[in-house]
Amino acid sequence: MSSIRFPLRPVTLAATLALHALSTSAQTTPTAASGTLSTVTVEASADASAEGLTKPYAGGQVARGGRVGILGTQDIMSTPFSTTSYTSELIQNQQARSVADVLQNDPTVRVARGFGNFQESYFIRGFIVNSDDIAYNGLYGLLPRQYISSELFERVEVLRGASAFLNGATPSGGGIGGNINLLPKRAGNDPLTQVSAGVSSGEQGYVSTDIARRFGPDQSTGIRLNALHREGGTAVDDEKVKLDLFSLGLDWRSRDARISVDVGHQEHRLTRPRPNVTLGPALTSVPSAPDNSVNYAQPWTYSNERDTFGSVRGEYDINPDVTIWGAAGARRSFEGNRLAGITVTTAAGAGNMSRFDNERQDDTRTAELGMRAKLTMGSVKHSLVASYSFYELKEKNAYEWDFFNPTVSSMYTPVGIALPGFTAGAFRGNDLNDPALLTKVRLSSFAVGDTLSLLDDRALLTLGLRHQTLSSTGYEYFTGVPSGYEKSRVSPMAGFVYKLQPQVSLYANYIEGLSKGETAPTTSTSGPVFNPGAQLSPYVSKQKEVGVKYDGGSIGGAIAFFSTDKPRAFINDQRYFVEAGKDRHQGFELTTFGEAAKGLRVLGGLTLLDAKQKSTGATITDGKRVIGVPKVQGSIGVDWDVPGMRGLSFDARVVATGHSYADSANTLRVPGWARLDLGARYVTEWSGKLVTLRARVDNVADRNYWSSVGGYPENGYLVLGNPRTFSVSASVEF
């Protein structure tokens, strides 16, 4: 095995930052002065709120609550929605690299991939949520849209169900089954200087630093800096990754005001990334998953992404009962891809691959203003909220695709060829060297809500309305001729919580989702679509949900029953992308978390889903299951402190998913799968410094399986699960 080499510049930068922070800490540590200063405790606050982060629940893997859109941060027992907030402790202990790694723990979420690219996407309650629609500190569209490194966030918050009133419409039309919000890192009360390094399968290595300090006589100012470099292969043959990241979080607070600022830059590069597998129209069954280490990517393929982003958020208390807030952010990103996905045409795994080059540039701006107020009228307490939000995306794009000049290969025995030139018959859109404006999306809304507290706070009734305007304009390739729409709608919400006992809450909600109409893809299984880039009108989804939550102090959980209807889109027999019928997702969710016994933590649950196509107008699809959505899925994890061996812990996690279908007619059945992951860590002290050693094996049995199916309307493309992957790391706190 060859040695692992790190570029000198990123490693030197991380080490220099760490040493500088140590020096700064030594210079600014206050000396004891009797009677001069009292101890001040500052609650780290990602969203500039007075309350700070919610406390971790017993066991430390999840928090006691999280952000519920414009309603702010709420305790899990007081909100009429199903939520989970995963903590930095879980993220670090599992060596999670991205949002997808964290959400493997969630029984209601399954990780998928974008259409024709390597974007991390997620099925929540069977509905797709693209990483475009992930919020950063409550604002959409600020984070990298393909891959989000775990170094960028303190917590991962999952809100299950539709949320038009709570969060507004999402940029790309997701958010029907739920939303994901990432909280940035903040400086805590204790100084932090942490340097970490590790290696994993494929001779991949990384080094990172995490530095935090608070300043001033009252510790009112905080700074948190993160830097990371990751480079090397993966467990997949000849696949390579390179990641560079830098982020800075600042916060300041006084008695009545709080401000936070976040800036970040991420560059993510994939070389010979293994592509999705599309099933050809002639197939009558799904081929078996190939060896999980095989790479059917062509040697000249790549996917690069570069993002720079920032946001500012502030709150001001006009008086003890009235608070106003404001937030704004922006992102600029550049993506370049040279791809060749494989379309399998025979049961033996043979297929075609066509060169596809793509360039994309995004410019995003977003802002939010709001006010919260509390008042009491008789025996009823009111928590009022009002907000205005704005979002704008300008996407430039260019592509070239040689669909009629395919290369013959196989997903079982791949054939590599030299980079082919484009032929005269290739499909083209704009200039790859100078991408032109393709899409402009503007979302604006005004929302008002009131939470009424009744019966000595045992009953909570939340009512709200959001008036939203969606403006979406598409521009034809080359000509730039615009077409689009501007539509408005009022989205209502009603939620109710009744605290049957201090440990038990019953809840119910009715809420709608409002989504930008889907955009017709360039191609599907059978070839080009005849209205590529066409945008459908916005659609409304309607959700009804009831549930019960339990908080036993050391162990907690919830049961939820839900039903959501969503208009559907598909490619018709004339190869046009149109809206017709609806998808109805009904299901049951069980989640659990906490510390079952001293030193034994549990996390996971079970989801049962009945996702059917309704009123499709075709007997071949009516009543059939939605592409890529299983009937059953779940995950369960345990984390155990070994008795008598201080500092040593083991963890195990099982992730399982039932079978699903890769086509609307349900003729292509994709087998279910289960995976076992194991980890260990040891915390000790060395020369007065805290040292944490971690080791992990994902997919212990090295199973071959199709990890996800689809992620775009009427496309049942397959993603092969990763091989057995080893990771070891060491972190030192100075």
Side-chain angles (χ1 to χ4, degrees):
M1 181 180 291
S2 60
S3 61
I4 298 174
R5 299 187 298 273
F6 292 101
L8 180 60
R9 181 177 57 83
V11 178
T12 304
L13 172 63
T16 301
L17 291 171
L19 292 174
H20 177 69
L22 284 170
S23 173
T24 303
S25 176
Q27 295 170 9
T28 60
T29 301
T31 58
S34 177
T36 58
L37 290 176
S38 59
T39 301
V40 176
T41 300
V42 177
E43 297 291 346
S45 175
D47 61 353
S49 65
E51 297 80 10
L53 290 175
T54 54
K55 302 295 184 184
Y57 197 81
Q61 296 183 313
V62 302
R64 286 210 53 90
R67 183 184 176 93
V68 187
I70 64 169
L71 300 180
T73 299
Q74 296 194 1
D75 186 89
I76 52 176
M77 301 296 286
S78 300
T79 176
F81 301 98
S82 175
T83 64
T84 302
S85 179
Y86 298 96
T87 65
S88 59
E89 181 176 340
L90 174 75
I91 295 167
Q92 287 189 314
N93 286 341
Q94 293 188 352
Q95 300 187 67
R97 301 180 184 182
S98 68
V99 178
D101 289 342
V102 179
L103 294 183
Q104 295 285 358
N105 297 284
D106 197 301
T108 70
V109 180
R110 280 299 171 265
V111 178
R113 187 187 282 175
F115 178 70
N117 58 39
F118 300 91
Q119 179 181 34
E120 289 187 344
S121 299
Y122 316 91
F123 282 106
I124 305 180
R125 294 184 171 179
F127 295 106
I128 198 68
V129 177
N130 293 312
S131 50
D132 304 72
D133 297 332
I134 289 180
Y136 186 53
N137 212 359
L139 296 176
Y140 287 132
L142 295 184
L143 291 169
R145 60 178 297 272
Q146 297 270 2
Y147 177 91
I148 306 172
S149 172
S150 62
E151 298 293 322
L152 287 171
F153 49 84
E154 176 78 15
R155 288 185 180 172
V156 178
E157 298 181 334
V158 179
L159 170 66
R160 303 176 185 93
S163 61
F165 164 72
L166 298 172
N167 299 299
T170 62
S172 70
I176 297 172
N179 286 96
I180 300 167
N181 182 48
L182 305 183
L183 295 183
K185 295 181 176 180
R186 292 284 176 262
N189 290 302
D190 299 322
L192 172 67
T193 303
Q194 183 183 85
V195 175
S196 302
V199 295
S200 60
S201 298
E203 301 185 7
Q204 182 181 138
Y206 86 94
V207 60
S208 68
T209 185
D210 187 353
I211 302 167
R213 293 291 186 274
R214 300 209 70 86
F215 304 94
D218 57 357
Q219 302 287 282
S220 61
T221 303
I223 181 171
R224 184 82 176 260
L225 181 150
N226 283 266
L228 166 73
H229 175 76
R230 185 186 298 276
E231 186 171 2
T234 72
V236 177
D237 295 340
D238 301 316
E239 185 179 76
K240 298 187 184 305
V241 62
K242 184 178 181 182
L243 176 69
D244 288 297
L245 178 145
F246 174 87
S247 69
L248 182 67
L250 305 171
D251 70 281
W252 171 86
R253 63 172 53 208
S254 67
R255 185 186 65 178
D256 300 322
R258 297 159 297 279
I259 298 174
S260 63
V261 178
D262 296 282
V263 293
H265 180 80
Q266 177 181 288
E267 297 188 21
H268 186 228
R269 309 167 190 85
L270 297 172
T271 303
R272 200 172 182 176
R274 183 167 62 191
N276 305 336
V277 174
T278 299
L279 301 178
L283 289 180
T284 58
S285 63
V286 175
S288 299
D291 184 282
N292 53 36
S293 64
V294 71
N295 191 351
Y296 29 81
Q298 289 297 327
W300 34 264
T301 56
Y302 65 85
S303 179
N304 296 337
E305 181 185 23
R306 184 173 76 253
D307 296 88
T308 303
F309 53 92
S311 67
V312 59
R313 179 176 286 273
E315 279 193 357
Y316 179 72
D317 300 328
I318 297 176
N319 59 49
D321 294 323
V322 180
T323 298
I324 58 174
W325 85 84
R331 171 177 64 93
R332 170 163 288 186
S333 67
F334 300 88
E335 297 177 28
N337 310 281
R338 177 173 291 156
L339 309 172
I342 183 168
T343 298
V344 176
T345 56
T346 72
N352 300 322
M353 307 182 77
S354 302
R355 177 181 171 182
F356 180 91
D357 288 15
N358 180 71
E359 295 290 330
R360 171 170 172 157
Q361 300 175 14
D362 283 3
D363 282 285
T364 301
R365 297 181 300 151
T366 183
E368 181 183 54
L369 295 172
M371 179 180 69
R372 294 190 182 95
K374 296 179 181 179
L375 61 89
T376 301
M377 299 178 65
S379 62
V380 180
K381 299 176 183 177
H382 295 262
S383 295
L384 302 168
V385 62
S387 78
Y388 170 80
S389 65
F390 172 83
Y391 171 91
E392 181 184 71
L393 165 67
K394 294 180 180 178
E395 175 198 342
K396 294 182 177 180
N397 185 267
Y399 79 94
E400 196 159 0
W401 179 36
D402 223 350
F403 177 77
F404 294 112
N405 183 35
T407 295
V408 177
S409 186
S410 169
M411 66 176 182
Y412 297 125
T413 55
V415 177
I417 64 167
L419 175 65
F422 284 111
T423 64
F427 294 101
R428 293 174 172 85
N430 296 331
D431 183 355
L432 287 170
N433 295 315
D434 186 21
L437 184 64
L438 180 68
T439 304
K440 182 187 293 184
V441 177
R442 287 185 177 179
L443 310 174
S444 61
S445 68
F446 179 77
V448 292
D450 184 11
T451 298
L452 295 80
S453 180
L454 311 163
L455 303 177
D456 294 327
D457 298 335
R458 292 186 64 184
L460 301 170
L461 174 64
T462 302
L463 303 172
L465 297 171
R466 183 184 291 266
H467 180 273
Q468 181 126 355
T469 299
L470 295 81
S471 173
S472 183
T473 305
Y475 298 85
E476 290 186 9
Y477 286 107
F478 294 117
T479 67
V481 175
S483 64
Y485 59 79
E486 182 173 306
K487 301 281 181 75
S488 297
R489 180 178 173 86
V490 175
S491 300
M493 188 280 295
F496 182 72
V497 176
Y498 181 72
K499 298 181 180 180
L500 191 65
Q501 299 175 2
Q503 300 85 10
V504 180
S505 288
L506 308 178
Y507 77 94
N509 68 63
Y510 171 82
I511 190 168
E512 296 183 354
L514 181 63
S515 302
K516 178 178 72 72
E518 293 170 353
T519 302
T522 304
T523 181
S524 70
T525 303
S526 304
V529 176
F530 292 155
N531 59 339
Q535 295 185 341
L536 302 182
S537 295
Y539 52 80
V540 176
S541 59
K542 300 180 180 181
Q543 173 190 290
K544 297 175 286 291
E545 178 179 351
V546 296
V548 57
K549 301 178 182 180
Y550 174 75
D551 176 10
S554 60
I555 193 78
I559 295 174
F561 299 89
F562 63 89
S563 176
T564 306
D565 287 348
K566 166 195 171 294
R568 67 190 309 270
F570 73 106
I571 300 167
N572 64 18
D573 294 339
Q574 290 76 43
R575 306 216 46 72
Y576 283 92
F577 190 69
V578 298
E579 179 182 317
K582 64 182 177 181
D583 292 339
R584 174 171 293 168
H585 293 219
Q586 301 178 111
F588 161 88
E589 294 170 349
L590 169 67
T591 56
T592 186
F593 48 84
E595 198 165 25
K598 184 175 176 58
L600 180 64
R601 294 160 289 278
V602 296
L603 179 64
L606 177 71
T607 298
L608 304 180
L609 267 172
D610 180 29
K612 296 287 183 61
Q613 305 168 66
K614 301 288 185 179
S615 304
T616 63
T619 57
I620 194 173
T621 58
D622 210 32
K624 298 298 178 65
R625 285 164 58 185
V626 175
I627 289 175
V629 181
K631 283 188 175 181
V632 59
Q633 63 187 48
S635 60
I636 186 66
V638 295
D639 193 291
W640 179 53
D641 298 335
V642 180
M645 301 186 70
R646 185 177 181 183
L648 180 63
S649 302
F650 292 103
D651 68 86
R653 180 181 65 193
V654 175
V655 183
T657 300
H659 75 272
S660 60
Y661 290 95
D663 67 321
S664 297
N666 289 184
T667 61
L668 299 176
R669 185 180 187 274
V670 182
W673 55 273
R675 192 185 84 197
L676 172 66
D677 306 325
L678 296 175
R681 65 183 179 277
Y682 181 61
V683 182
T684 186
E685 188 175 296
W686 178 66
S687 297
K689 300 175 179 62
L690 184 66
V691 178
T692 304
L693 306 175
R694 298 182 176 92
R696 188 165 188 83
V697 185
D698 290 323
N699 191 9
V700 172
D702 203 24
R703 294 201 56 185
N704 304 321
Y705 63 96
W706 297 116
S707 63
S708 68
V709 182
Y712 199 90
E714 294 305 296
N715 282 276
Y717 54 87
L718 308 177
V719 177
L720 186 61
N722 287 327
R724 180 192 297 122
T725 302
F726 298 92
S727 302
V728 295
S729 67
S731 297
V732 182
E733 293 187 19
F734 297 91

